[in-house]
PDB file of all heavy atoms in Angstrom:
ATOM      1  N   HIS L 102    -122.598 100.086 -47.761  1.00  0.00           N
ATOM      2  CA  HIS L 102    -122.361 100.145 -49.219  1.00  0.00           C
ATOM      3  C   HIS L 102    -123.124 101.256 -49.917  1.00  0.00           C
ATOM      4  O   HIS L 102    -122.847 101.589 -51.070  1.00  0.00           O
ATOM      5  CB  HIS L 102    -122.625  98.798 -49.882  1.00  0.00           C
ATOM      6  CG  HIS L 102    -124.023  98.255 -49.760  1.00  0.00           C
ATOM      7  ND1 HIS L 102    -125.147  98.920 -50.228  1.00  0.00           N
ATOM      8  CD2 HIS L 102    -124.474  97.079 -49.238  1.00  0.00           C
ATOM      9  CE1 HIS L 102    -126.226  98.185 -49.997  1.00  0.00           C
ATOM     10  NE2 HIS L 102    -125.855  97.072 -49.398  1.00  0.00           N
ATOM     11  N   GLY L 103    -124.107 101.859 -49.240  1.00  0.00           N
ATOM     12  CA  GLY L 103    -124.733 103.070 -49.756  1.00  0.00           C
ATOM     13  C   GLY L 103    -125.879 102.882 -50.720  1.00  0.00           C
ATOM     14  O   GLY L 103    -126.511 103.860 -51.131  1.00  0.00           O
ATOM     15  N   ILE L 104    -126.190 101.639 -51.095  1.00  0.00           N
ATOM     16  CA  ILE L 104    -127.314 101.408 -52.009  1.00  0.00           C
ATOM     17  C   ILE L 104    -128.575 101.300 -51.162  1.00  0.00           C
ATOM     18  O   ILE L 104    -128.906 100.234 -50.652  1.00  0.00           O
ATOM     19  CB  ILE L 104    -127.095 100.138 -52.859  1.00  0.00           C
ATOM     20  CG1 ILE L 104    -125.773 100.240 -53.621  1.00  0.00           C
ATOM     21  CG2 ILE L 104    -128.252  99.938 -53.823  1.00  0.00           C
ATOM     22  CD1 ILE L 104    -125.667 101.412 -54.566  1.00  0.00           C
ATOM     23  N   ILE L 105    -129.278 102.410 -51.003  1.00  0.00           N
ATOM     24  CA  ILE L 105    -130.396 102.479 -50.060  1.00  0.00           C
ATOM     25  C   ILE L 105    -131.753 102.238 -50.725  1.00  0.00           C
ATOM     26  O   ILE L 105    -132.789 102.313 -50.062  1.00  0.00           O
ATOM     27  CB  ILE L 105    -130.417 103.837 -49.318  1.00  0.00           C
ATOM     28  CG1 ILE L 105    -130.620 105.005 -50.294  1.00  0.00           C
ATOM     29  CG2 ILE L 105    -129.137 104.023 -48.514  1.00  0.00           C
ATOM     30  CD1 ILE L 105    -130.841 106.349 -49.611  1.00  0.00           C
ATOM     31  N   GLY L 106    -131.769 101.941 -52.000  1.00  0.00           N
ATOM     32  CA  GLY L 106    -133.018 101.670 -52.703  1.00  0.00           C
ATOM     33  C   GLY L 106    -132.730 101.406 -54.168  1.00  0.00           C
ATOM     34  O   GLY L 106    -131.571 101.398 -54.609  1.00  0.00           O
ATOM     35  N   ASN L 107    -133.791 101.158 -54.928  1.00  0.00           N
ATOM     36  CA  ASN L 107    -133.643 101.126 -56.387  1.00  0.00           C
ATOM     37  C   ASN L 107    -133.551 102.546 -56.937  1.00  0.00           C
ATOM     38  O   ASN L 107    -132.824 102.824 -57.879  1.00  0.00           O
ATOM     39  CB  ASN L 107    -134.827 100.399 -57.021  1.00  0.00           C
ATOM     40  CG  ASN L 107    -134.867  98.927 -56.654  1.00  0.00           C
ATOM     41  OD1 ASN L 107    -133.846  98.312 -56.373  1.00  0.00           O
ATOM     42  ND2 ASN L 107    -136.065  98.352 -56.660  1.00  0.00           N
ATOM     43  N   ASP L 108    -134.334 103.414 -56.337  1.00  0.00           N
ATOM     44  CA  ASP L 108    -134.295 104.850 -56.607  1.00  0.00           C
ATOM     45  C   ASP L 108    -134.311 105.541 -55.249  1.00  0.00           C
ATOM     46  O   ASP L 108    -134.878 105.022 -54.286  1.00  0.00           O
ATOM     47  CB  ASP L 108    -135.516 105.309 -57.409  1.00  0.00           C
ATOM     48  CG  ASP L 108    -135.703 104.521 -58.696  1.00  0.00           C
ATOM     49  OD1 ASP L 108    -136.366 103.464 -58.654  1.00  0.00           O
ATOM     50  OD2 ASP L 108    -135.196 104.968 -59.735  1.00  0.00           O
ATOM     51  N   TRP L 109    -133.718 106.694 -55.153  1.00  0.00           N
ATOM     52  CA  TRP L 109    -133.815 107.451 -53.913  1.00  0.00           C
ATOM     53  C   TRP L 109    -133.561 108.925 -54.175  1.00  0.00           C
ATOM     54  O   TRP L 109    -133.035 109.309 -55.215  1.00  0.00           O
ATOM     55  CB  TRP L 109    -132.854 106.916 -52.850  1.00  0.00           C
ATOM     56  CG  TRP L 109    -131.389 107.030 -53.141  1.00  0.00           C
ATOM     57  CD1 TRP L 109    -130.579 108.105 -52.909  1.00  0.00           C
ATOM     58  CD2 TRP L 109    -130.536 106.021 -53.707  1.00  0.00           C
ATOM     59  NE1 TRP L 109    -129.286 107.836 -53.288  1.00  0.00           N
ATOM     60  CE2 TRP L 109    -129.223 106.560 -53.763  1.00  0.00           C
ATOM     61  CE3 TRP L 109    -130.751 104.716 -54.150  1.00  0.00           C
ATOM     62  CZ2 TRP L 109    -128.154 105.834 -54.270  1.00  0.00           C
ATOM     63  CZ3 TRP L 109    -129.677 103.999 -54.644  1.00  0.00           C
ATOM     64  CH2 TRP L 109    -128.396 104.548 -54.701  1.00  0.00           C
ATOM     65  N   TYR L 110    -133.953 109.729 -53.205  1.00  0.00           N
ATOM     66  CA  TYR L 110    -133.719 111.164 -53.292  1.00  0.00           C
ATOM     67  C   TYR L 110    -132.275 111.442 -52.929  1.00  0.00           C
ATOM     68  O   TYR L 110    -131.807 111.077 -51.843  1.00  0.00           O
ATOM     69  CB  TYR L 110    -134.656 111.911 -52.342  1.00  0.00           C
ATOM     70  CG  TYR L 110    -134.420 113.411 -52.301  1.00  0.00           C
ATOM     71  CD1 TYR L 110    -134.866 114.222 -53.345  1.00  0.00           C
ATOM     72  CD2 TYR L 110    -133.755 114.002 -51.225  1.00  0.00           C
ATOM     73  CE1 TYR L 110    -134.642 115.595 -53.316  1.00  0.00           C
ATOM     74  CE2 TYR L 110    -133.529 115.368 -51.190  1.00  0.00           C
ATOM     75  CZ  TYR L 110    -133.976 116.164 -52.242  1.00  0.00           C
ATOM     76  OH  TYR L 110    -133.753 117.515 -52.215  1.00  0.00           O
ATOM     77  N   ASP L 111    -131.559 112.079 -53.853  1.00  0.00           N
ATOM     78  CA  ASP L 111    -130.157 112.397 -53.644  1.00  0.00           C
ATOM     79  C   ASP L 111    -130.039 113.797 -53.056  1.00  0.00           C
ATOM     80  O   ASP L 111    -130.461 114.785 -53.677  1.00  0.00           O
ATOM     81  CB  ASP L 111    -129.395 112.314 -54.971  1.00  0.00           C
ATOM     82  CG  ASP L 111    -127.925 112.622 -54.798  1.00  0.00           C
ATOM     83  OD1 ASP L 111    -127.259 111.905 -54.042  1.00  0.00           O
ATOM     84  OD2 ASP L 111    -127.456 113.606 -55.412  1.00  0.00           O
ATOM     85  N   LYS L 112    -129.474 113.886 -51.878  1.00  0.00           N
ATOM     86  CA  LYS L 112    -129.408 115.163 -51.172  1.00  0.00           C
ATOM     87  C   LYS L 112    -128.524 116.178 -51.892  1.00  0.00           C
ATOM     88  O   LYS L 112    -128.789 117.382 -51.855  1.00  0.00           O
ATOM     89  CB  LYS L 112    -128.870 114.942 -49.753  1.00  0.00           C
ATOM     90  CG  LYS L 112    -129.758 114.086 -48.867  1.00  0.00           C
ATOM     91  CD  LYS L 112    -129.097 113.859 -47.516  1.00  0.00           C
ATOM     92  CE  LYS L 112    -129.921 112.941 -46.630  1.00  0.00           C
ATOM     93  NZ  LYS L 112    -129.268 112.696 -45.325  1.00  0.00           N
ATOM     94  N   ALA L 113    -127.478 115.688 -52.558  1.00  0.00           N
ATOM     95  CA  ALA L 113    -126.545 116.603 -53.213  1.00  0.00           C
ATOM     96  C   ALA L 113    -127.152 117.241 -54.457  1.00  0.00           C
ATOM     97  O   ALA L 113    -127.104 118.456 -54.638  1.00  0.00           O
ATOM     98  CB  ALA L 113    -125.261 115.858 -53.577  1.00  0.00           C
ATOM     99  N   SER L 114    -127.759 116.414 -55.309  1.00  0.00           N
ATOM    100  CA  SER L 114    -128.332 116.930 -56.556  1.00  0.00           C
ATOM    101  C   SER L 114    -129.777 117.390 -56.379  1.00  0.00           C
ATOM    102  O   SER L 114    -130.344 118.028 -57.266  1.00  0.00           O
ATOM    103  CB  SER L 114    -128.277 115.865 -57.650  1.00  0.00           C
ATOM    104  OG  SER L 114    -129.076 114.739 -57.291  1.00  0.00           O
ATOM    105  N   GLU L 115    -130.378 117.039 -55.241  1.00  0.00           N
ATOM    106  CA  GLU L 115    -131.767 117.376 -54.920  1.00  0.00           C
ATOM    107  C   GLU L 115    -132.736 116.843 -55.966  1.00  0.00           C
ATOM    108  O   GLU L 115    -133.658 117.525 -56.401  1.00  0.00           O
ATOM    109  CB  GLU L 115    -131.936 118.890 -54.742  1.00  0.00           C
ATOM    110  CG  GLU L 115    -131.121 119.444 -53.589  1.00  0.00           C
ATOM    111  CD  GLU L 115    -131.428 120.907 -53.307  1.00  0.00           C
ATOM    112  OE1 GLU L 115    -131.854 121.617 -54.249  1.00  0.00           O
ATOM    113  OE2 GLU L 115    -131.265 121.325 -52.150  1.00  0.00           O
ATOM    114  N   GLU L 116    -132.501 115.587 -56.373  1.00  0.00           N
ATOM    115  CA  GLU L 116    -133.386 114.933 -57.320  1.00  0.00           C
ATOM    116  C   GLU L 116    -133.359 113.419 -57.081  1.00  0.00           C
ATOM    117  O   GLU L 116    -132.453 112.893 -56.438  1.00  0.00           O
ATOM    118  CB  GLU L 116    -132.961 115.248 -58.761  1.00  0.00           C
ATOM    119  CG  GLU L 116    -131.558 114.772 -59.103  1.00  0.00           C
ATOM    120  CD  GLU L 116    -131.139 115.156 -60.512  1.00  0.00           C
ATOM    121  OE1 GLU L 116    -131.893 115.865 -61.185  1.00  0.00           O
ATOM    122  OE2 GLU L 116    -130.036 114.733 -60.927  1.00  0.00           O
ATOM    123  N   GLU L 117    -134.382 112.741 -57.609  1.00  0.00           N
ATOM    124  CA  GLU L 117    -134.419 111.289 -57.520  1.00  0.00           C
ATOM    125  C   GLU L 117    -133.356 110.701 -58.442  1.00  0.00           C
ATOM    126  O   GLU L 117    -133.193 111.149 -59.582  1.00  0.00           O
ATOM    127  CB  GLU L 117    -135.796 110.758 -57.925  1.00  0.00           C
ATOM    128  CG  GLU L 117    -136.886 111.004 -56.893  1.00  0.00           C
ATOM    129  CD  GLU L 117    -136.853 110.019 -55.730  1.00  0.00           C
ATOM    130  OE1 GLU L 117    -136.502 108.834 -55.960  1.00  0.00           O
ATOM    131  OE2 GLU L 117    -137.181 110.421 -54.601  1.00  0.00           O
ATOM    132  N   VAL L 118    -132.632 109.717 -57.953  1.00  0.00           N
ATOM    133  CA  VAL L 118    -131.613 109.069 -58.767  1.00  0.00           C
ATOM    134  C   VAL L 118    -131.902 107.579 -58.838  1.00  0.00           C
ATOM    135  O   VAL L 118    -132.517 107.000 -57.937  1.00  0.00           O
ATOM    136  CB  VAL L 118    -130.190 109.299 -58.203  1.00  0.00           C
ATOM    137  CG1 VAL L 118    -129.839 110.777 -58.255  1.00  0.00           C
ATOM    138  CG2 VAL L 118    -130.054 108.755 -56.783  1.00  0.00           C
ATOM    139  N   TYR L 119    -131.460 106.961 -59.936  1.00  0.00           N
ATOM    140  CA  TYR L 119    -131.604 105.517 -60.107  1.00  0.00           C
ATOM    141  C   TYR L 119    -130.290 104.842 -59.732  1.00  0.00           C
ATOM    142  O   TYR L 119    -129.210 105.355 -60.027  1.00  0.00           O
ATOM    143  CB  TYR L 119    -131.980 105.187 -61.556  1.00  0.00           C
ATOM    144  CG  TYR L 119    -132.053 103.706 -61.838  1.00  0.00           C
ATOM    145  CD1 TYR L 119    -132.946 102.890 -61.149  1.00  0.00           C
ATOM    146  CD2 TYR L 119    -131.199 103.113 -62.763  1.00  0.00           C
ATOM    147  CE1 TYR L 119    -132.995 101.529 -61.383  1.00  0.00           C
ATOM    148  CE2 TYR L 119    -131.250 101.753 -63.020  1.00  0.00           C
ATOM    149  CZ  TYR L 119    -132.155 100.962 -62.316  1.00  0.00           C
ATOM    150  OH  TYR L 119    -132.198  99.611 -62.546  1.00  0.00           O
ATOM    151  N   VAL L 120    -130.380 103.705 -59.108  1.00  0.00           N
ATOM    152  CA  VAL L 120    -129.238 103.035 -58.500  1.00  0.00           C
ATOM    153  C   VAL L 120    -128.071 102.836 -59.460  1.00  0.00           C
ATOM    154  O   VAL L 120    -126.904 102.951 -59.053  1.00  0.00           O
ATOM    155  CB  VAL L 120    -129.683 101.683 -57.890  1.00  0.00           C
ATOM    156  CG1 VAL L 120    -130.289 100.768 -58.933  1.00  0.00           C
ATOM    157  CG2 VAL L 120    -128.549 100.985 -57.179  1.00  0.00           C
ATOM    158  N   ALA L 121    -128.333 102.542 -60.718  1.00  0.00           N
ATOM    159  CA  ALA L 121    -127.243 102.206 -61.637  1.00  0.00           C
ATOM    160  C   ALA L 121    -127.018 103.244 -62.729  1.00  0.00           C
ATOM    161  O   ALA L 121    -126.008 103.172 -63.443  1.00  0.00           O
ATOM    162  CB  ALA L 121    -127.500 100.844 -62.286  1.00  0.00           C
ATOM    163  N   PHE L 122    -127.916 104.195 -62.892  1.00  0.00           N
ATOM    164  CA  PHE L 122    -127.788 105.147 -63.992  1.00  0.00           C
ATOM    165  C   PHE L 122    -126.543 106.010 -63.813  1.00  0.00           C
ATOM    166  O   PHE L 122    -126.244 106.492 -62.716  1.00  0.00           O
ATOM    167  CB  PHE L 122    -129.019 106.038 -64.090  1.00  0.00           C
ATOM    168  CG  PHE L 122    -128.953 107.020 -65.235  1.00  0.00           C
ATOM    169  CD1 PHE L 122    -129.166 106.595 -66.533  1.00  0.00           C
ATOM    170  CD2 PHE L 122    -128.639 108.349 -65.006  1.00  0.00           C
ATOM    171  CE1 PHE L 122    -129.088 107.488 -67.595  1.00  0.00           C
ATOM    172  CE2 PHE L 122    -128.559 109.249 -66.054  1.00  0.00           C
ATOM    173  CZ  PHE L 122    -128.783 108.818 -67.346  1.00  0.00           C
ATOM    174  N   ASP L 123    -125.809 106.203 -64.913  1.00  0.00           N
ATOM    175  CA  ASP L 123    -124.590 107.007 -64.870  1.00  0.00           C
ATOM    176  C   ASP L 123    -124.473 107.799 -66.172  1.00  0.00           C
ATOM    177  O   ASP L 123    -124.205 107.243 -67.235  1.00  0.00           O
ATOM    178  CB  ASP L 123    -123.376 106.107 -64.678  1.00  0.00           C
ATOM    179  CG  ASP L 123    -122.115 106.888 -64.331  1.00  0.00           C
ATOM    180  OD1 ASP L 123    -122.078 108.104 -64.592  1.00  0.00           O
ATOM    181  OD2 ASP L 123    -121.168 106.276 -63.807  1.00  0.00           O
ATOM    182  N   GLU L 124    -124.659 109.077 -66.073  1.00  0.00           N
ATOM    183  CA  GLU L 124    -124.619 109.963 -67.234  1.00  0.00           C
ATOM    184  C   GLU L 124    -123.254 109.969 -67.906  1.00  0.00           C
ATOM    185  O   GLU L 124    -123.119 110.326 -69.080  1.00  0.00           O
ATOM    186  CB  GLU L 124    -124.983 111.393 -66.795  1.00  0.00           C
ATOM    187  CG  GLU L 124    -125.126 112.395 -67.923  1.00  0.00           C
ATOM    188  CD  GLU L 124    -126.277 112.070 -68.868  1.00  0.00           C
ATOM    189  OE1 GLU L 124    -127.384 111.784 -68.373  1.00  0.00           O
ATOM    190  OE2 GLU L 124    -126.046 112.087 -70.094  1.00  0.00           O
ATOM    191  N   ASN L 125    -122.235 109.542 -67.181  1.00  0.00           N
ATOM    192  CA  ASN L 125    -120.867 109.611 -67.704  1.00  0.00           C
ATOM    193  C   ASN L 125    -120.533 108.481 -68.683  1.00  0.00           C
ATOM    194  O   ASN L 125    -119.450 108.481 -69.272  1.00  0.00           O
ATOM    195  CB  ASN L 125    -119.863 109.578 -66.547  1.00  0.00           C
ATOM    196  CG  ASN L 125    -119.973 110.797 -65.657  1.00  0.00           C
ATOM    197  OD1 ASN L 125    -120.027 111.913 -66.140  1.00  0.00           O
ATOM    198  ND2 ASN L 125    -120.027 110.575 -64.359  1.00  0.00           N
ATOM    199  N   TYR L 126    -121.446 107.523 -68.822  1.00  0.00           N
ATOM    200  CA  TYR L 126    -121.176 106.395 -69.715  1.00  0.00           C
ATOM    201  C   TYR L 126    -122.294 106.245 -70.731  1.00  0.00           C
ATOM    202  O   TYR L 126    -123.412 106.726 -70.519  1.00  0.00           O
ATOM    203  CB  TYR L 126    -120.988 105.114 -68.898  1.00  0.00           C
ATOM    204  CG  TYR L 126    -119.737 105.165 -68.059  1.00  0.00           C
ATOM    205  CD1 TYR L 126    -119.787 105.566 -66.729  1.00  0.00           C
ATOM    206  CD2 TYR L 126    -118.499 104.866 -68.623  1.00  0.00           C
ATOM    207  CE1 TYR L 126    -118.633 105.654 -65.964  1.00  0.00           C
ATOM    208  CE2 TYR L 126    -117.336 104.945 -67.866  1.00  0.00           C
ATOM    209  CZ  TYR L 126    -117.404 105.343 -66.537  1.00  0.00           C
ATOM    210  OH  TYR L 126    -116.263 105.442 -65.796  1.00  0.00           O
ATOM    211  N   ASN L 127    -121.972 105.570 -71.824  1.00  0.00           N
ATOM    212  CA  ASN L 127    -122.903 105.428 -72.936  1.00  0.00           C
ATOM    213  C   ASN L 127    -123.313 103.980 -73.135  1.00  0.00           C
ATOM    214  O   ASN L 127    -122.641 103.046 -72.686  1.00  0.00           O
ATOM    215  CB  ASN L 127    -122.268 105.967 -74.210  1.00  0.00           C
ATOM    216  CG  ASN L 127    -121.990 107.456 -74.126  1.00  0.00           C
ATOM    217  OD1 ASN L 127    -122.872 108.239 -73.775  1.00  0.00           O
ATOM    218  ND2 ASN L 127    -120.757 107.844 -74.425  1.00  0.00           N
ATOM    219  N   SER L 128    -124.425 103.808 -73.831  1.00  0.00           N
ATOM    220  CA  SER L 128    -124.937 102.477 -74.125  1.00  0.00           C
ATOM    221  C   SER L 128    -124.072 101.781 -75.170  1.00  0.00           C
ATOM    222  O   SER L 128    -123.527 102.413 -76.069  1.00  0.00           O
ATOM    223  CB  SER L 128    -126.372 102.571 -74.648  1.00  0.00           C
ATOM    224  OG  SER L 128    -127.217 103.202 -73.711  1.00  0.00           O
ATOM    225  N   VAL L 129    -123.988 100.471 -75.026  1.00  0.00           N
ATOM    226  CA  VAL L 129    -123.308  99.634 -76.006  1.00  0.00           C
ATOM    227  C   VAL L 129    -124.279  98.533 -76.415  1.00  0.00           C
ATOM    228  O   VAL L 129    -124.780  97.794 -75.572  1.00  0.00           O
ATOM    229  CB  VAL L 129    -122.018  99.007 -75.428  1.00  0.00           C
ATOM    230  CG1 VAL L 129    -121.393  98.042 -76.428  1.00  0.00           C
ATOM    231  CG2 VAL L 129    -121.026 100.101 -75.033  1.00  0.00           C
ATOM    232  N   GLY L 130    -124.567  98.466 -77.705  1.00  0.00           N
ATOM    233  CA  GLY L 130    -125.508  97.473 -78.205  1.00  0.00           C
ATOM    234  C   GLY L 130    -126.902  98.003 -78.425  1.00  0.00           C
ATOM    235  O   GLY L 130    -127.804  97.260 -78.815  1.00  0.00           O
ATOM    236  N   THR L 131    -127.109  99.297 -78.154  1.00  0.00           N
ATOM    237  CA  THR L 131    -128.408  99.929 -78.370  1.00  0.00           C
ATOM    238  C   THR L 131    -128.209 101.427 -78.545  1.00  0.00           C
ATOM    239  O   THR L 131    -127.227 102.003 -78.054  1.00  0.00           O
ATOM    240  CB  THR L 131    -129.357  99.666 -77.189  1.00  0.00           C
ATOM    241  OG1 THR L 131    -130.607 100.333 -77.417  1.00  0.00           O
ATOM    242  CG2 THR L 131    -128.784 100.190 -75.883  1.00  0.00           C
ATOM    243  N   THR L 132    -129.138 102.056 -79.233  1.00  0.00           N
ATOM    244  CA  THR L 132    -129.094 103.512 -79.395  1.00  0.00           C
ATOM    245  C   THR L 132    -129.869 104.226 -78.298  1.00  0.00           C
ATOM    246  O   THR L 132    -129.845 105.453 -78.219  1.00  0.00           O
ATOM    247  CB  THR L 132    -129.675 103.909 -80.763  1.00  0.00           C
ATOM    248  OG1 THR L 132    -131.017 103.396 -80.863  1.00  0.00           O
ATOM    249  CG2 THR L 132    -128.824 103.340 -81.893  1.00  0.00           C
TER     250      THR L 132
END
Side-chain angles (χ1 to χ4, degrees):
H102 61 59
I104 304 300
I105 62 172
N107 294 333
D108 306 88
W109 64 85
Y110 176 76
D111 181 60
K112 296 177 183 179
S114 63
E115 298 187 334
E116 61 183 5
E117 287 281 326
V118 296
Y119 176 60
V120 59
F122 181 76
D123 192 341
E124 186 64 47
N125 295 313
Y126 293 95
N127 296 309
S128 301
V129 175
T131 178
T132 57

